[in-house]
Amino acid sequence: MKKAYKILPVYTGDVSGFASALYELGGMLVIHDPSGCNSTYNTHDEVRWYKQEALIYISGLNDIDAITGNDDKFINDIVRAANDMKPKFIALANSPLPYLNGTDFKGISKIVEDRTGLPCFYVQTNAMHDYSKGASEAFLAFAKKMLKPASEKIAGGINILGTTPLDHTNTKFSVPEGKTLVSNWAYGSSLEEVLKATSAELNLVVSSTGLAAAEYMKNEFGIPYELLGNYLDVKRGKTRRYIVGEPVISGFVAAQIKEKSGTDFNVIATTEITDGLLSECDRKCHGEDEIREALSDAEVIIGDPMFELISPESARFVRLPHFAMSGRLYRKEIPDLMRLEDYYNEP
Amino acid sequence: MQTTENDRIRIADASFPKPFKGGLEFNAPAHGTWNIVHIGFKIPKAHQIYICADNCMRGVVMTAAEMGELSRFSSVILEEDDMVFAGRLEESTIEGVTDVLNSLPELPPVVIVFPVCVHKFMGCDINFIYDELSKRFPSVKFVRGFMDPVMQKRGTTPDQRLRKAMFDIIPEGEKDGSVTVMGCDMPLAKDNDIRKLLEAQGVTVRDEASCATLQDYYDLGKCSSVICSYPAGVLGTEAFCKRTGRPMVYMPFTFSYDEIDDALSQIGAVPVFNGRVSSDRTAAGLKTLLGDTEIALDYTAVPRPLSLARFLIEKGFNLKRIYLDAIDPGEQNDFDWLVQNAPDIMLCATMHVKGRRRGKAEGDDKILAIGQKAAWFEGTEYFVNMIEGGGLYGYAGIKAFLKLMEDAFLVPKDTEDIIPRKGLGCECVL
């Protein structure tokens, strides 16, 4: 049964993905939820809390307000908090109960915007998806609401799209010589830098969470995009060696190995956004049983140590911890993904 | 008096028992307190199964993972289609739990199944689910857990109801003259007058928080009387006592000498010789060491924070701030006393939107915190790392507590390493 997870943890959820994506941008992030989302996020899904605090709140929804659809309290509480905390923008996220009762977040955003004078937008979540969906929706909603056409371009300007600690906990990106980093969405860039994104000439998508915003910026502002290392250009053949995890990172690692040693690896993508991100030899899996089945004939597996729990004993397992899967458990082992030699060596 | 919209207020100006107006909620990243996963694992051999959406699942499954207990934890993920069709939620829950149980190497004797807010909101037939599961797995004892925080603002919390459900499976045994202590997650400490005095009198004391085997857990029902030692355990303990006809005494860790003497006499313990004098002497020694050091405490450290506050003020300590969001109605007397005798103590909310860690500057005076939340908000490394009273009670407990304050004052702790760890006292593989 695809819904049953006997031992494997689920990935970080979409609401945490939303919070992680917008964490550093100075906005007030409000999750319309009774309790728990905030604690889960700041305990298991966020590494920055002690270094850099953010305005992330839950609404504390109770049963009566949920049943009667009492949006006034939610709106009034947001306005009061915004007056206290003076955020640069307000972003709202959904959870199962407001999703079920059809809460009109777009309407609420409009009212909040009118009453606070601050940009306010809704990020489509419902707590029933993984972080890649939530972060992707957050970057996209932010781009749609906040970006304006640039008056002039920055020659060689590049945006990096799709960096959150959930995927790139310890990865250090750099731009080629002669190029200029305009913004990094959104791990290490200020709001002011991110708002200059439309002056860039190229977007570099480094995880599936950045793809939707890249598509939007291509269509709206004419900025083309590339996937990390143009990994889809590296042809790989069918094999029983697998990289299991997020598709862009896994595809990038597979391409790096192919180029350096000629060894083929196939990607088993286990996060939600995969359209246009997989090669023919790769596949998408959903749920513990499907992943277990896909790994059952493996000779070599590269992946988060949690996947070892459902891997055949005969397979050689190469640990590549992923914060969005194992959280804090192997945080100290998480490598810089740009440094292949730190986490993969041919036997 | 009106509730305040601010994040802090003088106790003399505070409304009782709810000083702060509700609103958006902040969550301080101090996580030593136990959640429903930690609590559920107190039943030896129990397997926990949660049925919820991804984002809700993440917090509980990672709690189990960080305890090294993934082999006793499983999940059934709810998706949009479970909400659309009548009966789908029941079907997904039953078939998901069935699938999980059939895949385990052996059937666990106890399974705690946790439906969530969505089950309640959708009018899910919970009784049908448990009845059907019991039919399919007759050898398994199913415990009715709940993860429905949407209900907690107006009624009982999920952890109160979980404790009750866990106590519901303890059979009524033949009375053997023993005393069972239940309701608290912290095992009875060696410095606990309940244990010390009763055992000195030859009475067996069973502790719900430290059962090594499932049989130990079931044997809790052989007691002749019950002591509840923590507020969140009262609901379940009362239900157990009503079902089994056992008398109950409520004995949370208090700092009131009168309350201690009264409670100990209720359970038939011989009074502690020289307890008051000895505690006073220890407190005076600590006061000499601390001088005018500022102290802050929070509601997670002890079950009766205002009792502790009153004690500290009575003994001359420089208590400045109390971190809490609401006051236990059982603390009305201590609240009134503090209003009269220490009106400038500040009550500080922990969930208010303005809640932030105090920035430290060079040359700032040392602050002693009691509890993890107080430590986080005060930005201090000098803190008593305790939850739920740490299993202490009585004069021995007070003296042990004062010693912990002394240690905390003298030796700094690695706050950033300690307090993000969940479930103080549980196994943690981080």
Side-chain angles (χ1 to χ4, degrees):
Chain A
M1 187 186 191
K2 70 174 184 180
K3 294 174 179 178
Y5 285 66
K6 287 104 183 180
I7 195 161
L8 201 63
V10 292
Y11 275 108
T12 296
D14 56 356
V15 173
S16 290
F18 148 84
S20 184
L22 303 179
Y23 189 92
E24 298 186 9
L25 301 181
M28 188 170 90
L29 315 182
V30 185
I31 305 161
H32 197 16
D33 174 67
S35 179
C37 282
N38 216 355
S39 173
T40 293
Y41 173 65
N42 74 28
T43 312
H44 299 292
D45 298 329
E46 182 51 70
V47 299
R48 293 166 287 191
W49 204 265
Y50 273 86
K51 306 292 179 208
Q52 179 183 1
E53 290 172 7
L55 305 180
I56 298 175
Y57 304 114
I58 57 161
S59 61
L61 178 69
N62 68 33
D63 55 338
I64 295 298
D65 289 339
I67 290 164
T68 60
N70 178 11
D71 296 335
D72 286 346
K73 179 180 184 306
F74 184 45
I75 293 167
N76 291 336
D77 287 347
I78 294 170
V79 171
R80 185 155 64 98
N83 288 336
D84 280 343
M85 304 310 290
K86 315 285 185 215
K88 294 174 180 170
F89 62 89
I90 299 167
L92 309 179
N94 205 341
S95 73
L97 293 189
Y99 169 77
L100 279 174
N101 73 10
T103 299
D104 178 6
F105 277 88
K106 288 185 179 166
I108 290 171
S109 299
K110 180 76 174 65
I111 293 170
V112 169
E113 195 162 276
D114 289 345
R115 287 180 55 184
T116 62
L118 294 166
C120 179
F121 56 92
Y122 168 51
V123 177
Q124 203 166 312
T125 57
N126 60 11
M128 297 182 214
H129 295 272
D130 73 26
Y131 75 98
S132 68
K133 186 89 172 11
S136 169
E137 292 288 344
F139 285 139
L140 178 61
F142 177 88
K144 285 182 175 177
K145 184 70 184 181
M146 304 293 284
L147 292 186
K148 303 284 183 284
S151 52
E152 58 182 322
K153 290 285 183 183
I154 296 172
I158 294 178
N159 300 311
I160 297 174
L161 302 186
T163 49
T164 69
L166 294 168
D167 282 322
H168 293 289
T169 316
N170 293 323
T171 301
K172 295 175 183 64
F173 290 106
S174 57
V175 295
E177 203 170 311
K179 305 288 185 186
T180 303
L181 178 65
V182 177
S183 66
N184 181 336
W185 291 45
Y187 192 12
S189 283
S190 65
L191 176 65
E192 290 67 31
E193 288 166 333
V194 167
L195 291 178
K196 288 179 187 162
T198 52
S199 63
E201 292 184 329
L202 178 70
N203 283 328
L204 177 63
V205 175
V206 298
S207 80
S208 54
T209 67
L211 184 62
E215 290 278 3
Y216 171 77
M217 288 163 75
K218 179 182 166 192
N219 295 332
E220 197 69 16
F221 304 111
I223 304 173
Y225 70 85
E226 291 178 359
L227 297 175
L228 181 61
N230 287 311
Y231 68 87
L232 287 178
D233 295 343
V234 179
K235 298 301 169 203
R236 291 175 282 120
K238 268 286 191 194
T239 177
R240 288 160 57 195
R241 289 181 289 271
Y242 302 121
I243 302 178
V244 55
E246 193 278 339
V248 172
I249 292 166
S250 302
F252 170 74
V253 173
Q256 294 278 297
I257 294 172
K258 177 72 178 178
E259 285 188 325
K260 290 197 174 160
S261 64
T263 304
D264 284 313
F265 271 87
N266 295 162
V267 172
I268 295 175
T270 49
T271 55
E272 281 187 49
I273 299 171
T274 56
D275 285 354
L277 299 177
L278 298 177
S279 295
E280 265 184 33
C281 59
D282 303 330
R283 63 180 287 193
K284 175 181 184 172
C285 284
H286 176 52
E288 181 175 320
D289 285 349
E290 265 188 41
I291 301 169
R292 188 193 300 267
E293 171 62 26
L295 295 174
S296 62
D297 67 348
E299 292 171 351
V300 184
I301 298 168
I302 300 176
D304 185 276
M306 284 294 167
F307 290 113
E308 199 167 5
L309 296 170
I310 57 168
S311 298
E313 283 184 15
S314 56
R316 182 167 81 92
F317 197 93
V318 179
R319 293 158 72 98
L320 183 57
H322 181 189
F323 191 72
M325 166 52 69
S326 55
R328 308 187 288 188
L329 289 172
Y330 307 105
R331 184 180 161 190
K332 288 172 188 161
E333 287 181 44
I334 298 176
D336 181 339
L337 293 167
M338 297 296 103
R339 295 175 54 82
L340 181 67
E341 64 276 17
D342 286 353
Y343 55 91
Y344 179 77
N345 291 297
E346 286 286 315
Chain B
M1 244 176 287
Q2 295 288 311
T3 54
T4 179
E5 292 195 358
N6 291 328
D7 63 330
R8 52 190 59 206
I9 187 169
R10 287 172 74 240
I11 195 166
D13 300 328
S15 64
F16 179 92
K18 192 174 171 241
F20 303 104
K21 186 172 179 180
L24 299 186
E25 295 176 7
F26 170 73
N27 183 268
H31 300 297
T33 49
W34 285 32
N35 66 24
I36 50 178
V37 180
H38 302 108
I39 296 167
F41 280 135
K42 282 198 298 181
I43 301 181
K45 300 268 188 196
H47 194 94
Q48 299 188 43
I49 305 176
Y50 287 74
I51 302 101
C52 58
D54 277 282
N55 214 92
C56 315
M57 189 66 77
R58 177 75 175 167
V60 286
V61 70
M62 293 315 294
T63 300
E66 291 182 0
M67 294 175 75
E69 291 280 16
L70 276 180
S71 62
R72 292 173 64 200
F73 185 102
S74 302
S75 323
V76 178
I77 300 296
L78 296 180
E79 297 172 343
E80 284 94 338
D81 60 358
D82 293 308
M83 324 286 171
V84 176
F85 304 107
R88 179 66 71 84
L89 197 51
E90 287 88 344
E91 183 188 338
S92 289
T93 302
I94 292 167
E95 297 306 329
V97 171
T98 299
D99 190 25
V100 164
L101 291 180
N102 284 335
S103 70
L104 296 177
E106 59 180 324
L107 271 183
V110 177
V111 174
I112 314 178
V113 178
F114 289 83
V116 291
C117 304
V118 169
H119 289 83
K120 286 217 163 164
F121 198 76
M122 297 283 290
C124 184
D125 189 342
I126 296 291
N127 287 335
F128 172 72
I129 289 173
Y130 285 102
D131 289 348
E132 180 61 24
L133 289 172
S134 296
K135 273 187 212 159
R136 292 187 184 190
F137 302 97
S139 69
V140 173
K141 206 163 265 188
F142 285 97
V143 174
R144 298 182 174 214
F146 262 103
M147 184 165 75
D148 56 349
V150 75
M151 306 298 293
Q152 71 186 9
K153 290 227 165 46
R154 295 185 318 109
T156 52
T157 61
D159 79 289
Q160 284 177 295
R161 277 174 279 135
L162 173 61
R163 288 172 211 270
K164 177 183 177 302
M166 289 165 62
F167 298 165
D168 284 348
I169 67 164
I170 299 172
E172 180 185 355
E174 199 160 317
K175 290 180 184 175
D176 64 0
S178 66
V179 172
T180 286
V181 180
M182 57 206 296
C184 185
D185 302 313
M186 296 295 104
L188 296 173
K190 70 177 173 57
D191 296 302
N192 183 308
D193 280 340
I194 297 170
R195 161 174 275 171
K196 285 173 74 168
L197 299 178
L198 289 178
E199 287 183 347
Q201 293 171 221
V203 177
T204 299
V205 179
R206 291 194 172 91
D207 182 7
E208 181 253 326
S210 55
C211 292
T213 67
L214 186 57
Q215 190 56 52
D216 288 347
Y217 189 77
Y218 288 153
D219 285 348
L220 295 171
K222 292 180 177 172
C223 63
S224 297
S225 61
V226 179
I227 293 169
C228 178
S229 55
Y230 191 60
V234 171
L235 178 76
T237 309
E238 283 180 342
F240 171 80
C241 290
K242 187 175 176 187
R243 172 166 61 86
T244 60
R246 265 58 169 183
M248 171 187 137
V249 180
Y250 179 47
M251 297 177 70
F253 181 24
T254 174
F255 290 79
S256 159
Y257 296 165
D258 289 343
E259 280 185 39
I260 291 169
D261 288 345
D262 182 49
L264 288 176
S265 72
Q266 279 190 61
I267 62 169
V270 177
V272 181
F273 175 71
N274 227 10
R276 294 183 183 222
V277 174
S278 172
S279 296
D280 282 348
R281 195 179 300 133
T282 308
L286 181 64
K287 173 69 181 79
T288 303
L289 175 69
L290 264 60
D292 283 333
T293 302
E294 282 193 14
I295 298 174
L297 65 87
D298 77 56
Y299 72 96
T300 67
V302 291
R304 298 280 304 275
L306 297 193
S307 167
L308 170 58
R310 176 176 174 171
F311 175 83
L312 292 174
I313 295 294
E314 284 178 332
K315 305 304 173 199
F317 291 95
N318 188 22
L319 176 67
K320 288 291 194 186
R321 289 170 289 282
I322 304 172
Y323 288 86
L324 47 70
D325 299 293
I327 303 166
D328 183 340
E331 295 226 272
Q332 171 97 56
N333 288 341
D334 291 321
F335 175 82
D336 292 341
W337 187 92
L338 289 165
V339 167
Q340 291 299 317
N341 295 280
D344 292 330
I345 283 181
M346 297 300 289
L347 300 184
C348 308
T350 72
M351 297 195 304
H352 195 279
V353 291
K354 290 182 187 167
R356 288 296 178 272
R357 191 160 45 146
R358 174 185 150 127
K360 270 197 345 184
E362 196 70 26
D364 272 1
D365 289 337
K366 185 192 281 191
I367 293 174
L368 177 61
I370 299 170
Q372 294 190 350
K373 282 189 192 283
W376 188 83
F377 280 107
E378 296 288 339
T380 182
E381 304 91 38
Y382 299 92
F383 69 102
V384 177
N385 189 24
M386 175 182 282
I387 59 165
E388 299 186 17
L392 302 171
Y393 189 83
Y395 298 106
I398 289 174
K399 284 189 284 184
F401 185 87
L402 293 168
K403 179 70 171 70
L404 290 172
M405 286 179 65
E406 179 185 323
D407 294 345
F409 177 76
L410 295 174
V411 184
K413 293 184 173 71
D414 186 345
T415 315
E416 288 189 25
D417 180 64
I418 293 171
I419 72 171
R421 293 169 186 261
K422 294 178 94 166
L424 181 61
C426 293
E427 183 71 27
C428 179
V429 299
L430 292 182

